[in-house]
Amino acid sequence: MIETILSRSIRVICLSGLAVGMQSAFAQDAAPASASMQRVEVTGSRIRQVDLETAQPVQVMTQQQIQATGLVTVGDILNNLSSAGSPDFSKGGSLTSNRENGGQYINLRNLGSNRLLVLVNGKRWTQTVDGFTDMSTVPASMIERIEVLKDGASSIYGSDAIAGVVNIILKKSMEGGQLSLYTGANQHHGDGKNKDFSLSYGAGNDKASLMFGLSHTEQGVVWPSSREITSTSYGPAHPTAGLGGGPWGRITAVDAFGGSLTDPAKGGFNKTLNHTGTYDGVGTGANSRDPNSYHNYVGASADKYNSTQDMMFVMPNKLDTLFVKGEVNLPLDMKFSSTAMYSQRKSTAQIAGYPLQSTTQSTFPVYIDQDSYFNPYGNQVAGAGNGQDLFFARRTIEVPRVTENENRTLHVDGTLEGNFNVRDMAWNWSAGWNHSKVTGSTLGTGNLNLPNLKRALGPSFLNASGVVQCGTPGAPIGLTECTPFDILGGPSASTPEALAYVMSTGQATYGSSVTSFTADIGGEVFKLPAGAIGFAAGVERREVKGYDRPGQFEQSGYSTDLAGNPTVGRYTVKEAYAELNVPVLKGQPFAELLSFNLASRYSDYSNFGNTTNSKISFMYKPVKDLLTRGTWAEGFRAPALGDTFGGGQQSFDTFLDPCDTRFGEAARDPAVQARCVAMGTNATYRQLDQSGTPISSTGGTQGLTAFNSGAGNTFLQPETAVTKTLGFVYSPSFLPGFSGSLDWYNIKVKNRITGISAEYVANECYINGSADFCSVIKRDPATGQVNALSHGNANLGEMETEGFDIALSYRLPRTQYGQFSVRNETSYVDTFRTRTGADSQWNNYAGEYLYNRVKSNTTLDWNLGNWSATWGMRYYSPVKDQCWDVDVECNLPNAQTTWGTGANKLGSLVYHDLSVGYKTSWNGRILVGVNNVFGKEPRITYNTQASAASVDADQPIDRFFYVRYNQSF
């Protein structure tokens, strides 16, 4: 309710502001530009300086460049950087069950979003309990610029700054107001509708200033059924592959262990209900009480279900934000500034109804009782004493599973700062308080209440009124207390009353906060012939708290919702740092500039101890046109709250069993096959999907039972890292307006904290022969299927990446045809590899899907008078994907990859974007644009992170049109 009221209020205010802005704009005079130079702090250093050249590579995006992308969220904007890897949490990851789902996170250099430090105005932003920073909570309309430091910075900022730092600089002040309205959608189906409304206003003088803003942003849903390529799990070439358990009742006998008995020689059977229709679930089931209404189940497509049709391909979300910033100048050259921001994000994820079976929760199995009225093999059909309980499987497609996630972020900070001089040298000081807090709640529907289901499938009878009633004629259960469920009859036989009785509503609450007190001082210590020695030092005390509490019913394990335990934790850290910038040479032959920067930070954590991280960097200009630079820096990442205090929860993991004799590594490697047989499989073992049929591709399938994932590890130690960079910047005086840079980087992370996937555990056990991983896998003694697997977090080996960043820019001389400028940012990855221990083999992911070797963004800008335009090109190099089969979609059958033998090479991708703007005479600006101008169609990939289909949901799926209108007043 609060979300709805806030969202509607912001939209009304923004639309009302349009009329005010149009009227007042004609009377507005342009504010004079200030040419005064001032000392500023650049991301990566605490020393304020006039010269913005740094020894570390920093990429800057302005508000104008942000709007020219046609994107409305900070996450989407930054995920398009050439140095950004594939998002840790895809917009298409509707099956993802954690609290991060629905947010947006930046995976710089593919090192993981939790190894990137996110600052807002130089201050830490809040994180989830698992250490991820949701970029979608910062409204793009309030941003002045974004600075991306592509270098380690733990010596300056502390934990997490291993891959780099993203510093979002919000607008500092305004005179007057600005209104911005935006809408956009995909071309062919009108889906993926995006909206963005924002209004900001500011006023002030030389003594004080105040600015406020509000914004509303929406990203619309995309359903996979709207396009042929996404309408099934593996695309048009394999429309029936990947079909899941069907909506029509499937029954077997129950074996002595409570499992499914299908072997006729042992008295078993495997049947499914006769029905009309096909795998779309539209049809009518036969009489489920009649044993003759069933046929032998052999995995026919018509008896399965296309669960993709009920999933969201791209999940929708809404964000509403209120923002206030003020500054007051005080006596003695002091100033007090404060920022307050409240954001509210609501996201929704939908997947198909639950693939229910008798042992969905192994600790609370549910069977169709032999005394149930609807049991075709029960006592009421076969005759008293001749009935038997039935093991069943059936997807409840009538009620898709929907999770709504409401996330609320509050940020408040206050800083008192001042300036003073010592021996005519400038100094500055500041003392501040920073508080960022996120709270949230999830509400889920579409899961089942197992105790109620057990009663609904328990004894029942036809009473004298012709109504099926729970209980027995001698001991009836009241009609208001229990509703029998004809679960085998399929969707055509279920009733609203029965569904209401067996379904459950799940809920959870979560939150985290970061509160810090800081004190900093900096200035010039004394002057050398080459310039003044710069110094900065400071202390910080930070407290981090968090919790994640599933509902009591979800914790109990009596629901098909994933059972989980609560997470509650906190820690404090006390830190001190110092930084020194020493100019050595200036204006000398072959030494126009030589300076060194040294920094060190000491951190004392309450939960694991202390650590010290240092850095040294240099800048050297042999001539005025050429700057060389380099850095050696230590880094670290403290375990997140969830890493240490996580309660863990069940998860249905999708994985490829390496023991599968058709698609697994056991099909090619005799040593793997031998390990598999020794642990419970056989020479013809096949991994089964939820419909009970063998898998049909290397994509594997979702587990038949819930695994245990995410439990905390109190023995975790911090990650440590060493970052090395070396590069140059060339700005030739003979070519004014041109600048080019080349930076080499190498980042090596040790003691890596990682969440281990189910497939990783299986591969380490069977492919690499690790006994530790084998100890957490259990297989069904009768079928050989994996029925238990545990995976959590561990300090697991090392990670290393190495490559180059290239940046080129050229602002051409102005001509009668306008001003042209061109920019290019290119990242090349030579190595991205991991290993689990000092004696393990390295796995190099560079060049595989999600790990492009080359990503490049080129932009051509033009303006003439009131007109402007931007043409952008995004390039992604070829990648290796998993094969469909050894001889199908497998053009590199002998290639060695991280998943085994065989790969299918996919070609490069190029997307073109265009935007055209016009400034009106009433201080307005119209911007129209098209992303993916040439309508590059999506492609099939079997390594995708999307849940609904084998198409990358984080790449364009269609040509996207948008229009934005800005009005200043």
Side-chain angles (χ1 to χ4, degrees):
M1 178 60 72
I2 295 176
E3 185 274 336
T4 302
I5 294 173
L6 178 61
S7 179
R8 289 177 178 174
S9 300
I10 290 177
R11 290 198 296 267
V12 169
I13 292 172
C14 288
L15 292 173
S16 300
L18 178 60
V20 176
M22 294 285 286
Q23 293 175 6
S24 61
F26 289 101
Q28 181 184 14
D29 293 325
S34 173
S36 62
M37 299 292 289
Q38 59 178 336
R39 297 163 65 244
V40 297
E41 188 176 299
V42 179
T43 301
S45 175
R46 295 288 194 184
I47 299 175
R48 295 184 182 180
Q49 54 195 17
V50 173
D51 190 352
L52 299 184
E53 286 185 325
T54 69
Q56 299 165 295
V58 178
Q59 182 178 350
V60 179
M61 290 190 69
T62 65
Q63 174 63 217
Q64 183 177 355
Q65 291 171 346
I66 289 171
Q67 291 201 1
T69 65
L71 304 171
V72 295
T73 66
V74 176
D76 282 344
I77 293 163
L78 292 179
N79 275 320
N80 274 334
L81 295 178
S82 62
S83 55
S86 298
D88 285 331
F89 304 98
S90 169
K91 290 189 292 185
S94 52
L95 277 171
T96 304
S97 58
N98 53 35
R99 308 303 179 222
E100 285 80 13
N101 204 22
Q104 294 182 340
Y105 310 87
I106 310 306
N107 184 8
L108 196 65
R109 301 207 188 283
N110 267 316
L111 288 172
S113 304
N114 50 359
R115 295 183 182 90
L116 173 73
L117 178 62
V118 177
L119 308 175
V120 177
N121 285 341
K123 300 176 176 64
R124 278 181 179 264
W125 203 240
T126 187
Q127 296 178 330
T128 68
V129 293
D130 288 325
F132 297 95
T133 301
D134 183 3
M135 309 294 287
S136 71
T137 58
V138 182
S141 60
M142 305 299 175
I143 295 173
E144 178 181 296
R145 69 184 185 277
I146 301 174
E147 297 179 352
V148 182
L149 172 66
K150 305 175 187 178
D151 200 353
S154 290
S155 61
I156 301 296
Y157 300 111
S159 178
D160 305 330
I162 290 179
V165 178
V166 170
N167 191 7
I168 301 173
I169 310 299
L170 302 177
K171 296 175 180 177
K172 290 182 171 58
S173 62
M174 319 181 49
E175 288 294 330
Q178 185 177 69
L179 173 73
S180 184
L181 306 175
Y182 167 100
T183 186
N186 289 320
Q187 176 186 9
H188 292 106
H189 300 274
D191 53 7
K193 294 180 180 178
N194 291 348
K195 298 178 182 179
D196 183 46
F197 311 136
S198 66
L199 177 65
S200 53
Y201 188 82
N205 53 33
D206 58 354
K207 295 183 178 180
S209 64
L210 181 66
M211 181 180 72
F212 83 91
L214 48 85
S215 70
H216 171 81
T217 302
E218 294 183 23
Q219 290 190 301
V221 66
V222 175
W223 293 98
S225 56
S226 63
R227 293 167 175 82
E228 183 184 18
I229 194 170
T230 57
S231 60
T232 55
S233 297
Y234 297 112
H238 313 284
T240 60
L243 296 176
W248 313 105
R250 182 162 68 93
I251 53 176
T252 76
V254 183
D255 67 17
F257 302 99
S260 173
L261 179 61
T262 61
D263 187 352
K266 299 179 181 180
F269 52 87
N270 187 4
K271 295 179 177 293
T272 192
L273 185 70
N274 298 335
H275 59 89
T276 62
T278 182
Y279 54 78
D280 60 3
V282 178
T284 302
N287 178 11
S288 64
R289 294 190 73 228
D290 184 354
N292 296 317
S293 295
Y294 295 80
H295 60 274
N296 290 331
Y297 181 78
V298 293
S301 297
D303 293 330
K304 299 181 183 181
Y305 186 68
N306 178 22
S307 57
T308 291
Q309 67 191 47
D310 293 335
M311 290 187 185
M312 290 175 173
F313 179 70
V314 174
M315 298 174 290
N317 65 72
K318 296 180 181 180
L319 175 69
D320 296 293
T321 302
L322 301 175
F323 168 81
V324 179
K325 181 177 177 62
E327 292 185 355
V328 178
N329 292 325
L330 302 172
L332 303 178
D333 203 12
M334 294 190 299
K335 178 178 67 174
F336 177 77
S337 60
S338 180
T339 301
M341 186 164 70
Y342 175 78
S343 295
Q344 190 166 262
R345 172 177 59 79
K346 185 174 183 180
S347 59
T348 304
Q350 177 177 308
I351 57 178
Y354 199 88
L356 187 64
Q357 58 165 316
S358 288
T359 53
T360 290
Q361 288 284 12
S362 58
T363 58
F364 195 88
V366 177
Y367 307 98
I368 301 177
D369 194 275
Q370 60 184 338
D371 287 320
S372 168
Y373 176 79
F374 295 112
N375 186 335
Y377 289 69
N379 288 322
Q380 298 178 52
V381 176
N386 297 321
Q388 60 177 305
D389 294 343
L390 294 178
F391 188 105
F392 74 92
R394 203 270 237 194
R395 186 185 290 272
T396 52
I397 68 170
E398 304 94 307
V399 186
R401 287 168 286 170
V402 178
T403 301
E404 294 185 348
N405 188 345
E406 188 171 306
N407 178 293
R408 298 168 291 276
T409 299
L410 173 67
H411 172 85
V412 182
D413 67 62
T415 302
L416 181 65
E417 57 186 310
N419 300 290
F420 62 95
N421 290 329
V422 177
R423 302 193 310 272
D424 294 326
M425 289 183 289
W427 281 75
N428 56 272
W429 62 271
S430 67
W433 173 77
N434 179 53
H435 177 71
S436 291
K437 179 181 180 181
V438 59
T439 58
S441 58
T442 63
L443 183 68
T445 57
N447 280 286
L448 290 96
N449 180 318
L450 293 178
N452 280 9
L453 181 66
K454 193 177 186 72
R455 287 190 289 269
L457 302 184
S460 57
F461 66 101
L462 189 67
N463 66 20
S465 300
V467 177
V468 180
Q469 184 173 350
C470 293
T472 64
I477 299 175
L479 295 175
T480 59
E481 299 177 38
C482 176
T483 304
F485 186 21
D486 182 8
I487 195 168
L488 300 180
S492 59
S494 62
T495 65
E497 294 78 15
L499 291 173
Y501 180 68
V502 301
M503 289 293 165
S504 69
T505 298
Q507 55 187 345
T509 58
Y510 62 92
S512 59
S513 65
V514 177
T515 303
S516 60
F517 297 88
T518 61
D520 303 277
I521 189 169
E524 298 174 346
V525 182
F526 55 85
K527 294 185 181 295
L528 297 175
I533 292 180
F535 172 77
V539 294
E540 178 177 358
R541 184 190 185 278
R542 187 166 68 251
E543 181 183 45
V544 180
K545 298 188 294 185
Y547 64 90
D548 189 332
R549 298 188 180 97
Q552 291 294 323
F553 189 61
E554 288 69 42
Q555 294 183 43
S556 70
Y558 292 140
S559 164
T560 58
D561 206 353
L562 301 173
N565 298 314
T567 295
V568 179
R570 66 177 291 275
Y571 65 81
T572 59
V573 57
K574 299 175 183 178
E575 297 182 297
Y577 77 91
E579 182 185 3
L580 196 66
N581 191 67
V582 183
V584 178
L585 296 172
K586 186 175 183 180
Q588 301 297 317
F590 302 106
E592 285 293 329
L593 171 69
L594 175 62
S595 67
F596 293 92
N597 183 279
L598 301 93
S600 188
R601 189 179 187 99
Y602 171 80
S603 305
D604 185 9
Y605 280 77
S606 62
N607 56 335
F608 69 80
N610 59 69
T611 178
T612 300
N613 294 273
S614 303
K615 179 201 76 169
I616 181 170
S617 60
F618 77 90
M619 289 195 300
Y620 171 54
K621 277 188 171 184
V623 294
K624 289 184 178 180
D625 295 354
L626 179 64
L627 167 69
T628 62
R629 57 191 181 187
T631 302
W632 180 92
E634 296 175 314
F636 84 106
R637 181 174 80 89
L641 293 171
D643 294 334
T644 305
F645 305 103
Q649 70 170 29
Q650 291 180 317
S651 64
F652 277 92
D653 298 82
T654 296
F655 73 107
L656 172 64
D657 190 339
C659 295
D660 184 87
T661 56
R662 173 73 185 280
F663 297 104
E665 192 65 11
R668 295 171 289 275
D669 190 331
V672 173
Q673 170 71 343
R675 293 189 192 104
C676 293
V677 171
M679 293 188 63
T681 69
N682 55 51
T684 60
Y685 167 78
R686 295 301 314 282
Q687 182 183 10
L688 302 181
D689 63 21
Q690 292 179 343
S691 66
T693 54
I695 61 171
S696 56
S697 78
T698 56
T701 187
Q702 201 175 50
L704 302 179
T705 59
F707 297 160
N708 185 38
S709 69
N713 182 349
T714 57
F715 299 103
L716 285 176
Q717 291 297 306
E719 296 179 340
T720 61
V722 172
T723 298
K724 292 174 282 188
T725 65
L726 185 63
F728 68 86
V729 181
Y730 183 53
S731 303
S733 55
F734 63 84
L735 189 61
F738 175 83
S739 178
S741 68
L742 173 66
D743 289 282
W744 166 84
Y745 66 87
N746 176 276
I747 305 172
K748 192 168 187 177
V749 181
K750 293 185 176 181
N751 222 27
R752 180 171 61 115
I753 301 172
T754 183
I756 306 168
S757 69
E759 186 162 330
Y760 184 91
V761 171
N763 287 346
E764 285 297 311
C765 170
Y766 299 108
I767 296 178
N768 295 328
S770 171
D772 290 340
F773 287 97
C774 291
S775 67
V776 298
I777 301 175
K778 294 182 180 179
R779 291 184 178 272
D780 186 293
T783 65
Q785 300 296 313
V786 176
N787 59 11
L789 186 151
S790 296
H791 57 100
N793 299 311
N795 287 116
L796 197 65
E798 304 172 63
M799 170 188 293
E800 182 179 13
T801 185
E802 183 174 6
F804 298 89
D805 289 328
I806 301 172
L808 302 171
S809 65
Y810 181 40
R811 185 179 179 87
L812 282 73
R814 183 178 294 276
T815 70
Q816 61 179 329
Y817 304 106
Q819 176 76 63
F820 290 88
S821 61
V822 61
R823 292 174 282 117
N824 175 268
E825 295 278 348
T826 298
S827 293
Y828 170 77
V829 180
D830 180 69
T831 300
F832 186 94
R833 59 182 188 168
T834 66
R835 63 176 176 177
T836 58
D839 299 327
S840 301
Q841 294 293 320
W842 285 99
N843 289 319
N844 192 355
Y845 294 85
E848 295 182 1
Y849 196 80
L850 302 178
Y851 298 89
N852 298 81
R853 285 194 180 274
V854 179
K855 291 178 67 176
S856 181
N857 295 329
T858 302
T859 304
L860 176 64
D861 296 313
W862 167 83
N863 65 76
L864 178 63
N866 292 337
W867 289 92
S868 63
T870 297
W871 183 279
M873 183 183 75
R874 292 173 282 148
Y875 171 82
Y876 300 83
S877 64
V879 288
K880 297 175 184 176
D881 188 25
Q882 284 189 310
C883 297
W884 176 259
D885 203 343
V886 293
D887 55 356
V888 179
E889 296 175 65
C890 194
N891 50 30
L892 299 174
N894 299 317
Q896 295 301 309
T897 65
T898 58
W899 57 78
T901 305
N904 188 46
K905 187 174 182 179
L906 304 177
S908 60
L909 290 174
V910 180
Y911 297 102
H912 296 268
D913 309 318
L914 173 66
S915 65
V916 178
Y918 178 75
K919 293 181 180 179
T920 68
S921 58
W922 55 84
N923 283 337
R925 184 171 184 260
I926 301 171
L927 183 72
V928 296
V930 184
N931 286 347
N932 191 16
V933 172
F934 298 117
K936 182 77 173 180
E937 294 185 352
R939 64 185 181 186
I940 295 293
T941 171
Y942 301 119
N943 265 347
T944 181
Q945 299 183 92
S947 300
S950 297
V951 170
D952 193 336
D954 297 298
Q955 296 284 13
I957 196 172
D958 199 349
R959 187 180 286 112
F960 185 86
F961 289 88
Y962 65 90
V963 59
R964 180 182 289 276
Y965 179 75
N966 296 331
Q967 178 64 59
S968 299
F969 55 93

